[in-house]
Amino acid sequence: MREKSKSIDDENIEMLVRTFYPKVIEDKIIGAFFIEKLGSDIRGDAWEEHLVLLTQFWRYVALYDDTYRGNPLQPHFEIKGLHKKAFVRWLDLFYETVDSIYDENAGRLFKEKSQEIAENFMRRLGLKK
Ligand code: HEM
């Protein structure tokens, strides 16, 4: 197994994103939300666009890189039937992926930020359960 990263850089952020979404697409609870929008082929164009965008997003959050141009919350308003348990599952899977790539110290930032953002999304989407 490769050694866990002790610091965050462009390359390991890309690895984080490209390790996370293949798990997401396979997941019983949240996979369908993504497949509905982006299709089931992670190598397809829609997915590639999403993976590039999400890599930019996390570089912006973690490294203040300013190439991300988007509105993080907006597309989530269009997802039908989204619920709190889906966000809990999203966070579980994300934490698991973070732990597979980063040591505890470097991973903390992703866990704290994702938790904060997820809570903010849930509140603004008005998700109750
Ligand atoms: C169960 C929870 C979630 C589901 C089902 C979900 C689903 C999706 C889908 C389907 C898209 C693509 C929309 C499109 O291309 O039109 C998207 C975009 C995105 N998601 Fe999520 N998401 C979830 C949670 C999160 C969380 C917790 C974060 C951040 C920590 C996040 C960050 C983003 C960002 C940054 C985008 C791109 C927004 C843009 O267009 O700039 N998502 N999400």
Side-chain angles (χ1 to χ4, degrees):
M1 214 184 81
R2 52 181 287 285
E3 211 178 306
K4 293 193 181 181
S5 300
K6 292 184 176 60
S7 61
I8 300 168
D9 61 27
D10 276 0
E11 198 186 328
N12 55 41
I13 289 179
E14 176 152 23
M15 191 184 305
L16 173 68
V17 170
R18 287 179 188 271
T19 308
F20 177 56
Y21 286 99
K23 289 192 199 197
V24 162
I25 214 172
E26 295 289 334
D27 188 75
K28 282 203 186 78
I29 301 172
I30 62 172
F33 293 116
F34 289 86
I35 290 170
E36 159 102 22
K37 187 78 204 177
L38 302 167
S40 57
D41 178 10
I42 197 99
R43 281 173 293 273
D45 291 349
W47 267 104
E48 187 52 31
E49 211 175 291
H50 184 65
L51 298 177
V52 169
L53 193 64
L54 269 288
T55 302
Q56 290 173 344
F57 172 75
W58 284 110
R59 284 177 181 160
Y60 165 70
V61 172
L63 303 172
Y64 304 104
D65 175 299
D66 68 355
T67 47
Y68 174 71
R69 294 275 178 275
N71 181 338
L73 175 65
Q74 188 54 41
H76 302 91
F77 280 109
E78 290 158 29
I79 303 175
K80 287 184 212 84
L82 198 53
H83 44 78
K84 259 192 174 168
K85 279 199 181 119
F87 273 90
V88 172
R89 183 64 187 147
W90 189 104
L91 284 169
D92 270 358
L93 273 182
F94 191 68
Y95 281 25
E96 193 184 290
T97 314
V98 166
D99 285 336
S100 73
I101 290 174
Y102 296 100
D103 74 3
E104 204 183 323
N105 193 40
R108 192 172 302 123
L109 177 127
F110 288 102
K111 294 182 184 174
E112 286 175 2
K113 289 288 182 188
S114 59
Q115 167 91 39
E116 239 173 65
I117 297 166
E119 275 170 16
N120 184 279
F121 280 13
M122 285 189 279
R123 191 173 58 249
R124 292 165 70 186
L125 291 166
L127 300 187
K128 303 239 156 44
K129 56 177 184 171

